[in-house]
Amino acid sequence: DVVFFGDAVPRDRVDACFAALDDADGLLCLGTSLAVYSAFRFVDRARKTGKPICVVNRGPTRADLEGVPVTKIDADLAILPEARRLLATVF
């Protein structure tokens, strides 16, 4: 299913993502500025539960602006093969 910018994410989908995050060892965000709360809410939840967070994105993100401690890889997604090696030290 597609959720267009500005539309609400269905509650059951949000709940399923929170449940997956609760079971995860950490959170990896790829190619997002986290500008909208529909994405940032998962970073906020990971922070509140003490899970490590890694963001791969070119430029600043909402996590940077709000002072959320993350491992930041400031790069395009083409870096993913190298990021895998770097992430092994975090997760």
Side-chain angles (χ1 to χ4, degrees), residues 17-90:
C17 290
F18 276 139
L21 178 56
D22 290 343
D23 289 340
D25 294 329
L27 178 64
L28 174 60
C29 302
L30 299 173
T32 176
S33 67
L34 302 168
V36 295
Y37 190 71
S38 58
F40 184 75
R41 71 176 108 198
F42 302 110
V43 170
D44 193 42
R45 173 77 153 251
R47 179 189 57 80
K48 288 177 180 174
T49 58
K51 294 182 186 283
I53 304 162
C54 181
V55 178
V56 179
N57 190 64
R58 175 73 63 202
T61 70
R62 186 173 179 173
D64 301 320
L65 298 173
E66 296 202 15
V68 177
V70 302
T71 298
K72 175 76 181 287
I73 300 173
D74 192 345
D76 295 325
L77 294 182
I79 188 105
L80 287 181
E82 176 65 13
R84 178 183 295 156
R85 186 186 65 74
L86 294 172
L87 291 173
T89 65
V90 178

